[in-house]
Amino acid sequence: FMLTQPHSVSESPGKTVTISCTRSSGSIASNYVQWYQQRPGSAPTTVIYEDNQRHSGVPDRFSGSIDSSSNSASLTISGLRTEDEADYYCQSYDNNNVVFGGGTKLTVL
Amino acid sequence: QVQLVQSGAEVKKPGASVKVSCKASGFTFTNYFFHWVRQAPGQGLEWMGVINANGGTTNYAQKFQGRVSMTRDTSTDTVYMDLSSLRSNDTAVYYCSSGYTFGDFDYWGQGTLVTVSS
């Protein structure tokens, strides 16, 4: 299966943005979805695990959800800050395979 | 605190092999899976495979089967990724990541740049 994300999104500081991640086949609910943040020149860090659990130290401005009707997952960031500007990747898996989305570049302008 | 510390940058010629290490600390090594993920310049994340530190069983992405080998050393809490028959499009940053279950990537190493060039 594949995970499809928008190539880029942009929003103003203080606003809310949602990044989608659509699973091409199989149910989005069948395996957990994770989200990672990657700032330029840095390794990825985990933001959300198991669909909607915030990783240690991640502020509650970040939230994750899944929607079976659209077979997609979403990462929502509220109260946008300039430091949220980064690439975001969704990830899921099936029996023996891990799949990453293509990544979404978030610009906070 | 949890740390994954990877070995340093490598420059290899086409056809050669590279071995990247990832030393874990701050958690019980054998309770975790260790994934390897790579990122070519300007590209996204690509999963290469995983090793279960408890027992050493591996699962490789189909793309890399026959060319990649992942091993672990429980005496030093270190995992290794060997990639053979290198070509120029293997030039990438290689990351290790630990997870408590197969699908998790809880913590990440700092990355190791592997450059393949003649």
Side-chain angles (χ1 to χ4, degrees):
Chain A
F1 68 95
M2 296 190 304
L3 296 172
T4 300
Q5 302 179 231
H7 182 68
S8 63
V9 296
S10 62
E11 190 50 271
S12 303
K15 299 292 189 179
T16 297
V17 71
T18 297
I19 299 171
S20 63
C21 171
T22 302
R23 181 165 171 156
S24 62
S25 61
S27 171
I28 193 71
S30 60
N31 304 98
Y32 287 126
V33 175
Q34 281 65 235
W35 290 91
Y36 308 98
Q37 178 191 69
Q38 186 179 35
R39 294 191 174 101
S42 296
T45 59
T46 303
V47 178
I48 297 289
Y49 68 98
E50 293 182 359
D51 296 341
N52 55 20
Q53 302 299 302
R54 277 184 299 277
H55 196 248
S56 174
V58 173
D60 60 7
R61 301 186 297 106
F62 291 80
S63 63
S65 63
I66 62 167
D67 179 357
S68 294
S69 65
S70 58
N71 214 35
S72 64
S74 294
L75 173 68
T76 299
I77 311 171
S78 60
L80 275 169
R81 301 182 178 181
T82 54
E83 61 259 35
D84 298 330
E85 188 161 291
D87 293 327
Y88 292 85
Y89 294 89
C90 62
Q91 171 260 318
S92 191
Y93 54 96
D94 62 11
N95 293 335
N96 291 303
N97 191 41
V98 170
V99 176
F100 285 94
T104 298
K105 180 176 180 57
L106 170 62
T107 301
V108 182
L109 36 64
Chain B
Q1 75 279 22
V2 173
Q3 270 196 308
L4 298 175
V5 179
Q6 298 182 221
S7 49
E10 303 263 12
V11 179
K12 296 292 183 181
K13 294 195 182 303
S17 297
V18 69
K19 189 169 188 173
V20 181
S21 67
C22 170
K23 181 171 175 58
S25 62
F27 59 96
T28 304
F29 180 75
T30 50
N31 284 351
Y32 282 77
F33 293 81
F34 289 84
H35 296 269
W36 288 91
V37 176
R38 75 177 187 179
Q39 186 171 38
Q43 302 301 307
L45 303 175
E46 180 176 33
W47 182 71
M48 299 180 69
V50 62
I51 181 168
N52 184 344
N54 182 13
T57 55
T58 55
N59 185 29
Y60 303 136
Q62 189 169 8
K63 175 177 179 178
F64 298 100
Q65 285 191 10
R67 216 163 58 95
V68 71
S69 174
M70 297 176 188
T71 56
R72 97 285 191 222
D73 183 343
T74 57
S75 68
T76 60
D77 289 357
T78 302
V79 293
Y80 300 90
M81 188 281 297
D82 245 296
L83 188 63
S84 62
S85 303
L86 290 169
R87 33 210 188 232
S88 59
N89 59 6
D90 290 317
T91 294
V93 176
Y94 289 77
Y95 295 102
C96 66
S97 177
S98 63
Y100 194 70
T101 65
F102 172 80
D104 289 341
F105 294 69
D106 297 328
Y107 295 96
W108 296 72
Q110 83 276 18
T112 298
L113 175 61
V114 175
T115 303
V116 183
S117 173
S118 54

